[in-house]
Amino acid sequence: MAESTTKLRVAIVTVSDAGSRGERQDASGDAIARWIESRGASLAARAMVPDETIAIARALLPICDEDQADLVLTTGGTGLSPRDVTPEATRAVIEREAPGIAERLRVLRVESFPKAALSRGVSGVRGKTLIVNLPGSPGGVRDALTALEPIVDHACDILRGRVTEHVR
């Protein structure tokens, strides 16, 4: 079976205390939105939540469980700060982890930006939706999206059953 040409549906969940209070512009979410538009995908949902496990999970669950998106990209909350709980919230929501995706996002960036090694972002699946944690900075988001680009369509096609053959 060939890979699908179905338009990818992408949701953005920005995790930011200041942003959720209206004190900071969502520059990293805007960077994701530009990527979605540039690749002809559709913006399925967009949310801004505080750095709180329950708030993050409450944003992720309906997107996955109501089949609103093929891919959810979170931005923010992946560092070492005590308030950075996006990986924990994501792990509480996903059914299966996809560690190779998160590893790819870190490894492709760490040589040019050593602090990328401090990211604790995770990736995984809930239902037929792929969730990927991205950093909170616009530059980190752009780098992560560059790393994600060659694999994301295939990953989502596999989850949706649109491709069953693994062609080199």
Side-chain angles (χ1 to χ4, degrees):
M1 177 187 287
E3 289 196 38
S4 170
T5 57
T6 302
K7 191 179 218 180
L8 187 68
R9 301 171 302 146
V10 185
I12 303 168
V13 176
T14 301
V15 180
S16 169
D17 285 332
S20 68
R21 292 190 303 263
E23 299 170 359
R24 178 183 296 157
Q25 182 181 347
D26 185 10
S28 58
D30 291 344
I32 297 170
R34 286 190 295 276
W35 176 81
I36 292 167
E37 184 177 345
S38 74
R39 68 189 322 272
S42 67
L43 177 59
R46 187 166 178 178
M48 169 99 58
V49 297
D51 290 272
E52 296 171 3
T53 304
I54 292 173
I56 298 165
R58 282 185 177 155
L60 294 173
L61 286 168
I63 294 169
C64 300
D65 293 351
E66 296 169 14
D67 195 26
Q68 296 176 22
D70 305 302
L71 172 66
V72 179
L73 297 173
T74 71
T75 177
T78 62
L80 298 176
S81 163
R83 296 283 300 156
D84 290 334
V85 296
T86 302
E88 288 74 20
T90 302
R91 281 192 183 100
V93 167
I94 61 174
E95 297 161 338
R96 296 178 295 143
E97 200 159 339
I101 296 171
E103 291 165 8
R104 177 178 172 80
L105 301 187
R106 277 186 285 276
V107 78
L108 290 181
R109 190 161 177 245
V110 77
E111 191 65 37
S112 62
F113 186 70
K115 291 178 185 173
L118 303 178
S119 173
R120 300 181 313 106
V122 300
S123 301
V125 175
R126 181 175 180 90
K128 293 182 177 183
T129 303
L130 177 63
I131 302 171
V132 180
N133 297 159
L134 305 182
S137 71
V141 163
R142 285 189 295 273
D143 290 346
L145 292 172
T146 298
L148 194 59
E149 184 69 37
I151 61 172
V152 69
D153 290 313
H154 187 68
C156 291
D157 281 346
I158 290 170
L159 284 171
R160 295 285 164 167
R162 295 187 289 245
V163 62
T164 56
E165 299 294 322
H166 298 285
V167 183
R168 287 194 94 152

